[in-house]
Amino acid sequence: MKKLGLIIFLVFSLLSADAHVVVQELENMSASDATGAYLLLGFEHILPLGLDHILFVLGLFLLSPQIKPLFSQSIAFTLAHSITLSLSMYGVITPPSRIIEPLIAISIVYVALENIFTNKVKPTRLGIVFLFGLIHGMGFAGALSEIGLPQNAYLLSLVMFNVGVELGQITVILLAYILMARWFSNKPYYRHRIVMPLSIGIACIAAYWVVERIFFS
């Protein structure tokens, strides 16, 4: 019950933009507590909290729900955001959120527009996904820095948060596959009735975020 209470406390800390976990609570966290708590925090940062990251992953999925291109893009995105998340949490880089958050929204717009104007995955998309992964990793770091990491399990907690993020992204892809690709990806109307409308919707939402995050945040 104590471990469950600690995990709930950390999750509610992540929900609040101004919340900071009490330092002593972090210091008293054992390695096993950190494993569960930060794994859950990483997952929660995608589902249900990370609508922008969800839309980015869906944007990648929509253009080609085939396993091979999705696997390559997933590896590129994972590697990239792991790098910047780690560098940010260790203080090597200190990206300002007022720049990173609009860039995350712009990355979603780009992916959605690419889905609209092309019908196949171009070789350049892998590099673009890696670049955007670097940006998203700094966004993950901004959220994680709100609660901090326990000093006695700093690296383990960071790794588990990252694993949780990956599990959240995989869940999004699996749900998209089960709900859409499994039934409709081979249909002749898949692109025009599913990919195009959803990509336009994603682009509009992300464009709104760009304006909001630049001018009203």
Side-chain angles (χ1 to χ4, degrees):
M1 290 299 295
K2 182 178 178 182
K3 181 186 294 188
L4 178 61
L6 182 57
I7 292 174
I8 293 173
F9 178 61
L10 285 168
V11 169
F12 275 99
S13 297
L14 185 60
L15 286 170
S16 173
D18 297 320
H20 292 271
V21 174
V22 178
V23 173
Q24 188 172 358
E25 291 287 343
L26 289 173
E27 295 302 328
N28 292 335
M29 182 181 289
S30 67
S32 60
D33 288 339
T35 298
Y38 282 88
L39 179 69
L40 179 59
L41 284 172
F43 187 90
E44 292 258 348
H45 189 62
I46 301 299
L47 286 171
L49 303 179
L51 181 57
D52 49 358
H53 302 299
I54 291 173
L55 292 186
F56 182 80
V57 173
L58 283 178
L60 298 180
F61 176 86
L62 284 171
L63 184 57
S64 177
Q66 302 302 314
I67 295 299
K68 186 176 180 179
L70 275 175
F71 183 70
S72 299
Q73 291 176 73
S74 177
I75 291 177
F77 187 72
T78 298
L79 178 61
H81 77 63
S82 298
I83 291 171
T84 48
L85 173 59
S86 300
L87 291 176
S88 297
M89 293 310 299
Y90 276 97
V92 178
I93 57 176
T94 53
S97 62
R98 68 180 183 277
I99 294 176
I100 297 304
E101 291 304 318
L103 286 177
I104 289 175
I106 290 172
S107 74
I108 302 168
V109 173
Y110 181 94
V111 169
L113 290 178
E114 189 176 26
N115 291 348
I116 294 169
F117 292 108
T118 185
N119 59 5
K120 63 179 181 179
V121 177
K122 296 180 179 179
T124 55
R125 175 168 264 210
L126 205 59
I128 292 169
V129 168
F130 184 86
L131 175 62
F132 289 155
L134 295 174
I135 297 170
H136 281 247
M138 290 182 277
F140 295 145
L144 185 55
S145 64
E146 290 291 333
I147 59 170
L149 292 165
Q151 293 301 315
N152 60 339
Y154 198 93
L155 179 59
L156 174 62
S157 300
L158 178 59
V159 169
M160 295 313 298
F161 180 85
N162 204 49
V163 171
V165 167
E166 290 313 305
L167 291 177
Q169 292 173 170
I170 291 170
T171 302
V172 172
I173 291 173
L174 289 177
L175 288 174
Y177 176 80
I178 293 170
L179 295 175
M180 290 187 296
R182 181 180 179 184
W183 309 106
F184 306 114
S185 62
N186 293 325
K187 303 295 183 181
Y189 57 77
Y190 176 70
R191 174 166 174 78
H192 294 290
R193 296 186 184 180
I194 296 177
V195 175
M196 295 288 283
L198 287 179
S199 295
I200 291 171
I202 290 172
C204 290
I205 293 170
Y208 169 79
W209 284 338
V210 172
V211 175
E212 180 188 45
R213 293 175 183 185
I214 291 176
F215 298 105
F216 302 102
S217 296

